[in-house]
Amino acid sequence: MGEMNNLKPSFLSSDGSLAVHAGERLCREINTTSITTPVVNTTTYFFKNTSELVDFKEQRIVCHEYTRYGSPTTMVLEEKISALEGAESTLVVASGMCAISVMLLALVPTNGHIVTTTDCYKETRMIMETFLPKLGITVTFIDSADTAKLEAVVNEHNVSMFFTESPTNPFLRCVDIKLVSEICHKRGTLVCIDGTIATPLNQKALALGADLILQSGTKYIGGHNDVLAGCISGSTKLISKIRILHQLLGGTLNPNAAYLLIRSMKTMHLRVKQHNSNALRMAQVLEAHPKIAFSSGSSYLLKNGFTVIVLGKSRLLPGPSESSRTSHSQATNDWFWGSGHIRGCWRSQEDNQVHRFSEDPIHCNIFWWMRELRGPTCHKELGCTTRRKAQI
């Protein structure tokens, strides 16, 4: 990634170009003139002679040894994701949950402390509630909007990491990444953001101050429902720590899966752009519909091609322009409506009219994925009590 950042040729000046060319037009170690990156299907690599093996073991040269440690195909994918995230280094693994698990195990010490948000993916919460305590790791859950509570916890405890999704799953709340990073870094606490729903194109968490950005490549990076993957991006120092443990535990991304993701990323910019366009059109249709009621102070806006519903005094989610992505501080109570990802509404029990979200998150009882209905990512997992409270 270092060489890519230093060169920055004109054809790599936009996210669209990076998604297509990064890791391939420059720095690709595979000796071929093929436009597409080859799939290197091998478990083991040979050394030309004993001297080369000794140089490798004594870290005088860098090359591949065993595919669990990496392959030329997965390396291209890592370079491409690093370029999009603005990261020094990226590790790709077999799934999003694999990425979360190995990241937590590598960076949170025994008897460490984590802060996360109450609204988070079910399996992430299960790891934190059922597995990490076996290692003496304690977890504090806070509301995604409660930055005062976050500050109190990091001041009171020796917190190793603040981990949150932004937008969150399933309630789609956005976290003020810049603010929480400032709060945590004062006490030496790492900040890791799961940006799966936003994608690297609509949100640049590292530029806003986060130490790590995590993605489930299964969703919008893959985009075709035919590959599982996860990735973690950040500084070389942090990613190297995670990589060492990953190589011990396994969870390796198959080179064929890496190839599918490289293929998918070539169209990701176009797909996300269309998602954003669809979101704006849907907001316009809903606003004009006689049976849709907008809550007081709410509206939809288009910012740099990124459709966002603005509720009351909330602010815009960063759009794809460099200036907005690097300087914006995201409001903590925003609902993520747009980017073509997810839509929601609620039907009043009194007048049987379909209403849009109000400022109060309990006033919604129907969510759905626009692209597909995803059974594993549904509100059934919240449990009866939580669903009843949220009128879902």
Side-chain angles (χ1 to χ4, degrees):
M1 182 59 199
E3 184 178 348
M4 182 72 70
N5 281 333
N6 291 334
L7 291 173
K8 279 292 182 182
S10 58
F11 68 85
L12 294 178
S13 60
S14 69
D15 278 351
S17 294
L18 289 173
V20 174
H21 298 298
E24 297 185 270
R25 286 286 297 274
L26 299 172
C27 308
R28 186 168 66 185
E29 67 171 35
I30 306 173
N31 187 18
T32 177
T33 57
S34 170
I35 293 176
T36 58
T37 295
V39 181
V40 181
N41 274 324
T42 185
T43 58
T44 313
Y45 301 80
F46 66 85
F47 295 91
K48 296 176 182 177
N49 49 53
T50 303
S51 177
E52 186 179 62
L53 173 60
V54 172
D55 287 341
F56 169 73
K57 288 298 183 181
E58 295 181 356
Q59 299 182 353
R60 287 189 291 271
I61 62 172
V62 177
C63 57
H64 292 286
E65 175 187 15
Y66 188 55
T67 294
R68 177 157 50 86
Y69 307 148
S71 78
T73 310
T74 56
M75 180 177 289
V76 168
L77 176 60
E78 289 175 344
E79 293 284 352
K80 192 180 290 290
I81 294 172
S82 288
L84 275 180
E85 296 284 13
E88 291 180 355
S89 182
T90 292
L91 171 67
V92 295
V93 296
S95 70
M97 285 309 303
C98 179
I100 292 171
S101 302
V102 72
M103 182 274 299
L104 290 173
L105 292 174
L107 299 181
V108 181
T110 302
N111 300 320
H113 192 95
I114 299 173
V115 179
T116 190
T117 52
T118 51
D119 183 22
C120 65
Y121 185 49
K122 180 195 69 172
E123 277 81 0
T124 301
R125 189 181 185 103
M126 286 177 64
I127 285 179
M128 293 184 177
E129 288 184 327
T130 64
F131 181 75
L132 293 185
K134 296 178 181 179
L135 303 177
I137 297 172
T138 53
V139 184
T140 297
F141 292 90
I142 64 171
D143 187 273
S144 57
D146 197 349
T147 53
K149 177 67 172 178
L150 172 64
E151 188 166 19
V153 174
V154 297
N155 287 333
E156 182 179 347
H157 302 278
N158 182 20
V159 178
S160 304
M161 177 179 293
F162 173 58
F163 176 87
T164 184
E165 300 154 7
S166 187
T168 61
N169 182 355
F171 283 128
L172 309 174
R173 297 187 177 106
C174 292
V175 175
D176 188 334
I177 298 174
K178 183 178 180 181
L179 178 58
V180 299
S181 298
E182 290 172 352
I183 291 172
C184 291
H185 291 162
K186 289 178 182 178
R187 303 291 295 179
T189 299
L190 293 174
V191 175
C192 179
I193 303 295
D194 183 337
T196 297
I197 293 178
T199 80
L201 296 173
N202 283 327
Q203 178 174 270
K204 302 292 187 184
L206 298 180
L208 292 170
D211 299 290
L212 295 164
I213 176 67
L214 185 147
Q215 306 275 352
S216 171
T218 310
K219 309 304 188 298
Y220 292 97
I221 293 177
H224 293 75
N225 302 305
D226 58 4
V227 61
L228 291 173
C231 59
I232 317 155
S233 302
S235 68
T236 301
K237 180 179 179 181
L238 289 176
I239 298 301
S240 295
K241 290 182 180 179
I242 302 170
R243 194 183 298 274
I244 290 170
L245 181 60
H246 165 66
Q247 291 174 352
L248 296 175
L249 297 179
T252 305
L253 186 70
N254 186 283
N256 292 279
Y259 173 83
L260 290 176
L261 288 163
I262 293 168
R263 167 219 63 182
S264 297
M265 289 184 70
K266 295 180 188 299
T267 63
M268 184 169 69
H269 185 261
L270 297 174
R271 289 185 282 109
V272 172
K273 182 179 180 180
Q274 188 62 52
H275 288 324
N276 295 344
S277 176
N278 292 347
L280 174 62
R281 177 58 181 154
M282 185 169 185
Q284 292 170 333
V285 169
L286 291 175
E287 183 188 42
H289 198 288
K291 293 187 177 182
I292 301 293
F294 277 64
S295 59
S296 176
S298 299
S299 62
Y300 72 86
L301 295 176
L302 179 65
K303 177 68 172 178
N304 296 319
F306 195 27
T307 309
V308 181
I309 292 296
V310 181
L311 302 179
K313 298 180 180 179
S314 60
R315 290 168 283 176
L316 289 173
L317 194 66
S321 76
E322 285 298 326
S323 59
S324 64
R325 287 182 305 197
T326 56
S327 63
H328 178 78
S329 183
Q330 172 60 36
T332 54
N333 282 324
D334 286 1
W335 281 83
F336 188 94
W337 174 298
S339 187
H341 295 276
I342 298 179
R343 306 290 182 272
C345 63
W346 65 283
R347 183 177 296 279
S348 169
Q349 303 301 320
E350 291 77 23
D351 58 12
N352 200 36
Q353 298 292 299
V354 178
H355 296 259
R356 224 211 53 190
F357 292 152
S358 73
E359 283 87 342
D360 189 342
I362 70 169
H363 289 154
C364 55
N365 66 0
I366 302 174
F367 288 77
W368 70 92
W369 285 91
M370 196 63 181
R371 182 166 60 96
E372 58 178 325
L373 294 175
R374 297 182 54 82
T377 308
C378 69
H379 292 74
K380 182 178 182 297
E381 309 294 349
L382 294 175
C384 294
T385 302
T386 304
R387 290 203 310 274
R388 191 176 298 114
K389 181 180 177 181
Q391 299 180 15
I392 297 173

